[in-house]
C-alpha cells in the first residue's frame, strides 16, 4: 500500500502513536513513492527503529529486522545452509533413500534479508545498527539495497524483489 500524500503518511503514523515532523513524513512518503530505501541516521534513542515499526504497522506490513553487530557476515544476514539436515539426508541416502540435492531450497535457511526479498506479503525491512558492522558488510548492504537482488552461488540462483519497502 503506497501513501497518496505526505499528510496521509503523518496521519497514518499518528494512528500508530508516532508523531512525525514534516521532514520525516516527506522522506517516508518519497521513499515509498520511488520504491527506494529510506536511510535514517541519528543518535541512539531518537526514534529510527520506532519509525520503521510505526511505518510497518501503518501500512499493515510485516516488520523484518536485521540487527547488525561486529562480525556480522552474509550468512547471518542473508542465508545459510541447514548443515544438520543436509547431513541427515546424506545418511538416509546411505541407507537406500534417494540422494538429496544438498544445495536446494529444501535446505536453505532464510535470514532476514532473503526473507524480506522473497516475501509475498508487504514487508518493511529494518536494518538496525549498521554502524556496528565492518566496511565489507556495509558495502554488501549498499549493493543489496541498490539492486534489491542477490546471488546465492552454491545454489546458482539469483533472487530479486518486486519492490519491497526498507527503512
Amino acid at each position: 500500500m503506497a501513501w497518496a500524500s505526505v499528510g496521509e503518511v503523518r496521519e497514518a503514523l499518528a494512528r500508530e502513536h508516532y508523531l512525525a515532523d514534516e521532514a520525516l513524513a516527506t522522506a517516508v512518503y518519497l521513499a515509498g513513492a520511488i520504491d527506494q530505501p529510506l536511510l535514517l541516521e541519528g543518535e541512539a534513542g531518537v526514534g529510527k527503529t520506532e519509525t520503521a515499526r510505526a511505518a510497518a504497522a501503518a501500512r499493515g506490513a510485516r516488520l523484518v529486522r536485521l540487527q547488525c553487530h561486529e562480525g556480522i557476515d552474509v550468512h547471518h544476514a542473508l542465508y545459510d545452509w541447514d548443515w544438520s539436515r543436509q547431513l541427515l539426508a546424506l545418511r538416509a541416502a546411505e541407507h537406500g533413500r534417494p540422494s538429496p540435492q544438498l544445495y536446494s531450497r529444501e535446505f536453505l535457511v532464510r535470514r532476514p534479508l532473503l526473507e524480506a526479498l522473497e516475501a509475498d506479503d508487504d514487508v518493511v525491512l529494518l536494518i538496525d545498527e549498521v554502524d556496528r558492522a565492518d566496511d565489507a558488510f556495509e558495502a554488501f548492504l549498499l549493493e543489496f539495497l541498490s539492486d534489491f537482488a542477490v546471488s546465492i552461488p552454491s545454489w546458482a540462483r539469483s533472487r530479486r524483489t518486486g519492490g519491497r519497502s526498507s527503512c
Side-chain angles (χ1 to χ4, degrees), residues 20-146:
D21 65 9
E22 191 72 18
L24 180 59
T26 300
V28 170
Y29 169 74
L30 290 173
I34 62 173
D35 199 24
Q36 290 297 309
L38 175 59
L39 305 175
L40 300 176
E41 184 177 48
E43 296 297 320
V46 298
K48 300 177 301 290
T49 299
E50 193 56 35
T51 300
R53 286 188 183 127
R59 290 175 57 131
R62 184 167 50 99
L63 181 68
V64 175
R65 182 177 184 174
L66 172 64
Q67 181 69 41
C68 295
H69 53 81
E70 188 176 319
I72 191 170
D73 64 7
V74 171
H75 294 290
H76 290 101
L78 186 58
Y79 73 94
D80 207 347
W81 295 105
D82 191 339
W83 301 110
S84 59
R85 286 189 62 227
Q86 288 172 316
L87 184 57
L88 287 173
L90 284 173
R91 286 188 180 155
E94 290 173 353
H95 297 299
R97 294 202 179 166
S99 291
Q101 180 75 27
L102 292 179
Y103 295 104
S104 66
R105 187 176 217 42
E106 176 184 2
F107 299 107
L108 189 67
V109 178
R110 282 158 195 74
R111 301 287 189 219
L113 294 182
L114 188 58
E115 182 182 338
L117 187 69
E118 291 190 326
D120 291 329
D121 57 339
D122 193 18
V123 301
V124 170
L125 173 62
L126 168 61
I127 303 173
D128 211 356
E129 305 285 344
V130 175
D131 58 323
R132 294 182 184 217
D134 63 19
D135 291 342
F137 187 75
E138 283 186 36
F140 162 76
L141 281 176
L142 288 174
E143 184 178 334
F144 173 83
L145 292 172
S146 71

